Amino acid sequence: MIYFLAAAFLATFCLTFLLRIYALKRNIMDIPNMRSSHSIPTPRGGGVSIVVVFLLVLAGYFAEGWLPPTKGILILVASFSVALVGWFDDRNHIPASVRLTIHLFSSALIVYAFSGLPLFTAFGFEVDFSLAGYVIALFALVWILNLFNFMDGIDGIASSETITTTVVAGLILYFVFGFAQAAYLHFLLAASVMGFLVWNFPPAKIFMGDAASGFLGLTHGMLILYTTHLDPTMLWVWLILLAVFISDASVTLFRRVARGEKAHVAHRSHAYQWASRMTGSYPKLTGSHTKVTLAVIAINLVWLGPLAYLTATTKIDGALATIIAYIPLIILAIKLKAGIAEDSTSN
């Protein structure tokens, strides 16, 4: 397995390097504007390397028979569709309605492939959504997909989130539940993203782009459904591990919509974006990106990781652990002005 992990890392590292050269030659640049969290024109679209490498990993995974061929085809079609619409959107803006249609279609394929949500336990009671589980899972996947688009706003944050969550989830799957094949898939995703993070860690030499951020969001949704069907406790494990992103994005979206703003309009009022401005001053923002990204890594490993482990080992009820995980993060997001427009405050 170590050779496959190294191969995934090197493949993404080298492909990102080539994509950066291509972007520079073709002037495919992200130019800073009033809604940007960076100050220097930077090549974009480098996350395509993650898409290419991990789709190959998935194809190999299904070819080995670790999942039925039908599921494999549905997952590959869904993943490619999300990456493709993101790729086009990176180059020529695509209407939000078109993006949402593709997101719904792709999420529906994933939900169908895994037959919705399985029966799980909360506070000692069994919960079975039955057919409603398909609808809940569909909207949850669309939310997680867009979650990574929303949260990919400063250097390294989406990559670091992916690496920490998949590594912790993989370790739990391997050592607690004994699902080695599922664990390897998580580790391979982490290795693929690590190859890109070398180029994306502050100060970023290339940006991920919507093609990869949406792809990573859908992939997380796929992994949640996949592993939850292996053991229902993994639903709580994943909700805990993704708490930083979910808390920030949810508080931000709620406040913006309550204020009458359109949800799909670009902005920079997420808690992590406020935090990056509080810890650095324009135009020297890259140092602040480092602090915030490292803070997210620390929260995932020091706070959320142990809670996820205690949940997996049934030391604490999953629903209770999830509440414990979210309360301080929601409070932190509010204190960091998540969802508050810049022009409504003097800071």
Side-chain angles (χ1 to χ4, degrees):
M1 175 50 60
I2 189 66
Y3 297 109
F4 289 107
L5 293 174
F9 171 85
L10 288 173
T12 312
F13 176 86
C14 293
L15 185 53
T16 305
F17 171 71
L18 295 176
L19 286 168
R20 184 172 185 271
I21 293 175
Y22 174 81
L24 288 170
K25 285 185 176 180
R26 295 300 183 93
N27 197 34
I28 304 174
M29 307 291 286
D30 193 301
I31 307 300
N33 55 49
M34 291 299 294
R35 297 302 182 186
S36 300
S37 292
H38 64 286
S39 57
I40 301 172
T42 305
R44 55 188 170 88
V48 169
S49 61
I50 299 172
V51 175
V52 172
V53 172
F54 196 64
L55 281 179
L56 290 174
V57 168
L58 281 175
Y61 192 84
F62 299 132
E64 289 293 323
W66 291 348
L67 278 177
T70 303
K71 286 187 178 181
I73 293 171
L74 291 174
I75 291 169
L76 289 172
V77 169
S79 301
F80 180 76
S81 298
V82 166
L84 187 62
V85 74
W87 185 83
F88 278 115
D89 195 43
D90 282 335
R91 281 148 183 78
N92 298 292
H93 178 69
I94 293 178
S97 58
V98 175
R99 297 199 307 271
L100 180 59
T101 299
I102 299 298
H103 292 172
L104 282 167
F105 166 75
S106 301
S107 298
L109 292 182
I110 300 293
V111 172
Y112 177 77
F114 290 102
S115 304
L117 287 173
L119 182 149
F120 62 94
T121 303
F123 297 114
F125 296 96
E126 290 188 342
V127 180
D128 185 4
F129 287 110
S130 188
L131 291 177
Y134 284 83
V135 178
I136 294 170
L138 174 62
F139 284 101
L141 254 68
V142 172
W143 172 234
I144 294 171
L145 192 165
N146 284 280
L147 184 73
F148 273 77
N149 276 329
F150 297 155
M151 297 295 290
D152 180 34
I154 62 172
D155 300 351
I157 192 169
S159 303
S160 298
E161 174 78 356
T162 298
I163 293 167
T164 51
T165 57
T166 53
V167 167
V168 173
L171 290 172
I172 288 173
L173 285 164
Y174 190 92
F175 290 105
V176 177
F177 296 117
F179 296 122
Q181 292 174 343
Y184 294 153
L185 184 61
H186 288 65
F187 297 148
L188 284 165
L189 176 58
S192 300
V193 178
M194 281 182 189
F196 171 76
L197 181 59
V198 174
W199 298 99
N200 186 237
F201 196 81
K205 298 175 180 64
I206 191 168
F207 291 155
M208 181 179 289
D210 286 352
S213 60
F215 174 82
L216 288 177
L218 186 74
T219 300
H220 274 82
M222 181 272 290
L223 292 175
I224 292 170
L225 286 180
Y226 173 35
T227 56
T228 298
H229 278 275
L230 293 177
D231 191 293
T233 308
M234 285 301 298
L235 176 62
W236 300 115
V237 168
W238 272 113
L239 285 174
I240 291 168
L241 292 177
L242 290 171
V244 170
F245 270 30
I246 294 175
S247 297
D248 188 344
S250 299
V251 172
T252 301
L253 182 63
F254 177 81
R255 281 178 149 182
R256 291 184 67 237
V257 171
R259 199 167 55 247
E261 293 186 24
K262 294 180 179 179
H264 65 277
V265 174
H267 65 97
R268 58 173 195 170
S269 61
H270 282 285
Y272 75 89
Q273 291 169 320
W274 272 109
S276 71
R277 293 194 294 276
M278 292 174 184
T279 55
S281 58
Y282 187 90
K284 297 180 179 180
L285 291 174
T286 53
S288 64
H289 288 201
T290 302
K291 293 174 185 176
V292 176
T293 297
L294 290 177
V296 170
I297 293 172
I299 292 171
N300 286 347
L301 297 180
V302 177
W303 172 241
L304 300 177
L307 276 174
Y309 172 77
L310 291 173
T311 298
T313 53
T314 66
K315 298 292 192 304
I316 185 172
D317 179 82
L320 177 60
T322 301
I323 292 172
I324 293 171
Y326 277 77
I327 288 176
L329 294 177
I330 290 173
I331 293 173
L332 179 62
I334 292 171
K335 284 186 173 293
L336 288 173
K337 306 178 185 178
I340 301 299
E342 290 181 83
D343 56 8
S344 66
T345 176
S346 59
N347 290 332

